[in-house]
């Protein structure tokens, strides 16, 4: 039975969209691209839109979308036993050949299980037969570490997808020359030999008595390391918004990707290392993409892992302004804040800018390899205020390796200095302004120099947040926002976990997201993954992925950071 209410809602959603691709199914291979969060979140993701465009550019492929339903819709699905429906044609997901998940964040892992159950598809891969869709996964959280999800997926695509997706589709056509005719096992064996494709069933993990990984061995014919794919010439692909809807974070804005990777090498930052090497698009390409974007929306959102490091950023902004377009960035490097650039942003309609000091103390910023001085940060703030920016958002981390209470107090002091800097400026005195401190617990990520570090204990993170809130009480115009430390614990567990964490995910799924019950039910000690400092020679669950940077180089950076912090290893 299909709920007419759910069908009608999907059609109303489509009526608000521009750029939707609709294709007849006859004789074509069908893929449902799934974002494991709500429509509002998924449609704000440029990577998700890029894969949608890539798949639909193939004549014999129909790619439609699905998202995590809103709470009211979840109840309707349960009450009517409707299998999860695709957005474009409102077809049940079991009718598709492939279910492809795009997973950006570890905290969405649990939603993957929810969506498979809603689709009436067995959650565990070993329970799925030839009659079920192939289930594949990609996205940055997956190519950091897919191991906690291995029980639920047939294969993963590790890295940037534009090229490897087409290689996978060629294999699929060979294995399934006629729609619905072929064998999954044959496809998986062929796929596992393609650079960037990981088929977990062909890799066996052995554990030592102390719970650490002793070895990970591939079956004969499969590579011991899977190379993370990256696109050498990113200008070959037009990475820009192609779907537009008011039901998204970036309404009235067309996103354009400026670059990938980062030249800075901040030791905590996963994006710097897993999108290595640093690549910029040509100015002429970006001018063309922006011109096309302005035919769809009135503003251009420039995105990338290092937008501030684009060498022609000012020229690009001036080009957009010359076409009467608005401009927006996600954030700016402190040393990229110049009067000319901020004047462009203001002329393009921006009143808010984000910067990322990360820590309140110069000592700790040096440990992170983000060595801005307080003076440089305050000069940037002054430039922002002088040029009419009314809201400044500052990103900070707590729980960083070697962090002390003095470092936390330095964050409070820096926030007060920022406020004083604003009030010292004549524009800050006569105009309304706001400083937002966005404070998040530091979660160590795979494939970074800090992958050996533990998460700081939740109780300590709570204490430090309380110290910051109390220290900034009464500071008019300063607002503090933060994530809950308990979610940092779950994120660290999923980020640094191995295959055994799949059992915790299954338990959390059974208990409808009650992580406390799930952690108590399983015989796995989550602190082993979250709070334990890793041995220097330890085999990590993600070591089978060749991210393009040798582990020894990451270790050298980690040891150097600890030496600078005064910590003996």
């Amino acid at each position: 039975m299909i709920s007419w209410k759910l069908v009608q809602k999907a059609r109303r959603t489509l009526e608000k969209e521009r750029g939707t691709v609709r294709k007849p199914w006859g004789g074509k291979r069908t893929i449902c691209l799934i974002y494991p969060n709500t429509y509002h979140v998924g449609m704000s993701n440029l990577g998700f839109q890029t894969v949608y465009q890539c798949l639909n550019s193939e004549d014999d492929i129909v790619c439609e979308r699905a998202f995590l339903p809103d709470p009211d819709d979840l109840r309707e699905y349960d009450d009517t036993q409707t299998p999860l429906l695709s957005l474009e044609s409102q077809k049940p997901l079991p009718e598709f050949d492939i279910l492809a998940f795009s997973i950006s964040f570890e905290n969405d892992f649990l939603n993957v299980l929810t969506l498979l159950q809603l689709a009436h598809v067995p959650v565990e891969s070993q329970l799925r037969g030839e009659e079920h869709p192939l289930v594949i996964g990609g996205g940055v959280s997956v190519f950091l570490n897919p191991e906690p999800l291995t029980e639920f997926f047939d294969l993963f695509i590790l890295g940037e997808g534009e090229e490897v997706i087409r290689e996978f589709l060629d294999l699929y056509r060979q294995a399934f020359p006629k729609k619905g005719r072929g064998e999954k096992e044959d496809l998986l064996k062929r796929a596992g030999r393609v650079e960037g494709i990981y088929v977990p069933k062909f890799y066996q993990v052995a554990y030592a008595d102390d719970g650490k990984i002793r070895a990970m061995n591939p079956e004969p014919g499969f590579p011991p390391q899977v190379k993370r794919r990256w696109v050498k010439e990113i200008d070959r692909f037009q990475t820009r918004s192609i779907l537009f809807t008011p039901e998204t974070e970036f309404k009235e804005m067309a996103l354009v990707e400026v670059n990938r990777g980062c030249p800075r090498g901040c030791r905590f930052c996963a994006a710097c290392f897993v999108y290595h090497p640093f690549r910029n698009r040509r100015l002429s390409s970006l001018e063309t993409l922006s011109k096309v974007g302005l035919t769809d929306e009135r503003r251009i959102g420039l995105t990338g892992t290092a937008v501030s490091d684009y060498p022609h950023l000012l020229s690009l902004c001036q080009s957009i302004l010359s076409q009467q377009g608005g401009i927006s960035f996600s954030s700016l490097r402190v040393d990229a804040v110049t009067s000319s650039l901020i004047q462009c942003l203001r002329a393009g309609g921006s009143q808010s800018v984000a910067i990322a000091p990360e820590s309140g103390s110069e000592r700790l910023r040096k440990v992170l390899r983000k060595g801005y001085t307080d003076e440089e940060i305050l000069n940037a703030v002054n430039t922002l205020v002088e040029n009419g920016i009314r809201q400044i958002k500052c990103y900070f981390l707590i729980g960083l390796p070697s962090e002390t209470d003095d470092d936390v107090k330095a964050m409070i002091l820096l926030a007060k200095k920022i406020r004083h800097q604003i009030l010292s400026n004549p524009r800050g005195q006569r105009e309304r302004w706001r400083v937002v401190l966005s404070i998040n617990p530091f979660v160590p990520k795979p494939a970074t120099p800090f992958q050996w570090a533990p998460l700081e204990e939740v109780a300590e993170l709570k204490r430090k947040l309380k110290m910051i809130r109390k220290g900034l009480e009464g500071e008019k115009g300063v607002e503090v926002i933060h994530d809950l430390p308990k979610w940092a614990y779950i994120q660290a567990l999923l980020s640094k976990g191995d295959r055994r964490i799949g059992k915790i995910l299954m338990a959390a799924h059974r208990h409808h997201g009650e992580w406390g019950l799930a952690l108590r039910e399983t015989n796995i000690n989550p602190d082993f993954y979250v709070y334990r400092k890793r041995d220097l020679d330890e085999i990590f669950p993600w070591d089978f992925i060749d991210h393009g940077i040798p582990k020894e180089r990451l270790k050298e950076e980690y040891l150097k950071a600890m030496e600078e912090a005064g910590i003996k290893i």
Side-chain angles (χ1 to χ4, degrees), residues 59-98:
D59 291 339
D60 62 336
I61 299 293
V62 173
C63 177
E64 301 187 1
R65 292 163 290 155
F67 303 88
L68 182 72
D70 294 326
D72 288 346
D73 294 336
L74 278 172
R75 284 189 288 272
E76 179 70 11
Y77 272 109
D78 285 339
D79 292 344
T80 62
Q81 284 301 292
T82 299
L84 187 63
L85 304 176
S86 69
L87 182 60
E88 280 80 353
S89 66
Q90 301 92 54
K91 289 187 183 291
L93 264 60
E95 295 184 16
F96 285 81
D97 298 319
I98 299 172

Side-chain angles (χ1 to χ4, degrees), residues 131-345:
E131 72 277 15
H132 294 114
L134 188 75
V135 179
I136 70 177
V140 64
S141 66
V142 162
F143 60 84
L144 277 169
N145 177 22
E147 287 300 277
L149 291 172
T150 52
E151 287 187 30
F152 317 112
F153 282 84
D154 296 308
L155 66 84
F156 296 97
I157 291 177
L158 305 182
E160 298 166 17
E162 289 95 336
E163 294 171 338
V164 67
I165 283 173
R166 289 181 166 88
E167 294 170 22
F168 168 73
L169 291 176
D170 286 342
L171 279 180
Y172 190 85
R173 293 178 183 109
Q174 294 168 23
F176 291 80
K178 293 184 179 180
K179 182 176 169 61
R181 303 281 181 86
E183 293 186 4
K184 284 185 186 177
E185 187 72 11
D186 177 51
L187 171 66
L188 294 175
K189 285 180 179 177
R190 295 190 197 190
R193 295 178 174 88
V194 173
E195 187 175 289
I197 296 182
Y198 170 50
V199 184
K201 67 181 293 183
F202 298 133
Y203 291 77
Q204 307 306 317
V205 181
Y207 299 96
D209 292 340
D210 61 3
K212 299 171 189 173
I213 294 174
R214 187 173 71 245
M216 185 173 186
N217 299 310
E219 292 186 8
F222 296 94
Q225 276 204 310
V226 180
K227 284 190 175 182
R228 183 259 311 175
R229 292 292 292 264
W230 59 279
V231 176
K232 186 175 181 180
E233 296 289 341
I234 58 174
D235 275 317
R236 290 174 51 218
F237 303 97
Q238 296 188 1
T239 309
R240 63 176 181 86
S241 298
I242 57 155
L243 290 161
F244 302 94
T245 173
E247 307 294 328
T248 177
E249 183 179 345
F250 301 112
K251 61 183 178 181
E252 299 183 347
M253 186 185 298
L255 302 180
V256 173
E257 183 193 55
V258 173
N259 51 26
R260 295 183 190 177
C262 178
R264 303 283 179 136
C266 299
R267 289 165 173 151
F268 64 93
C269 180
C272 172
F273 293 94
V274 299
Y275 285 109
H276 175 82
F278 181 48
R279 292 149 289 159
N280 284 310
R281 293 182 185 272
R282 291 190 296 272
L283 176 60
S284 58
S285 298
L286 290 172
E287 287 176 334
T288 299
L289 291 175
S290 299
K291 186 175 182 179
V292 173
L294 289 173
T295 64
D296 294 303
E297 297 289 4
R298 62 185 185 86
R299 294 174 61 78
I300 297 296
L302 299 177
T303 70
T305 41
V307 173
S308 298
D309 289 300
Y310 184 63
H312 311 295
L313 184 57
L314 183 59
S315 297
L316 176 59
C317 291
Q318 290 169 340
S319 172
I320 295 168
L321 283 176
S322 71
Q323 301 169 68
Q324 287 73 53
I327 306 167
S328 179
F329 302 156
S330 55
S331 66
L332 280 176
R333 304 277 188 192
V334 166
D335 53 6
V337 175
T338 63
S339 291
S340 53
L341 183 59
I342 304 308
Q343 286 166 14
C344 276
L345 281 175

Side-chain angles (χ1 to χ4, degrees), residues 21-33:
V21 179
R22 293 182 177 89
K23 291 184 179 181
W25 275 42
K28 293 184 174 65
R29 294 160 177 87
T30 55
I31 301 174
C32 190
L33 180 63

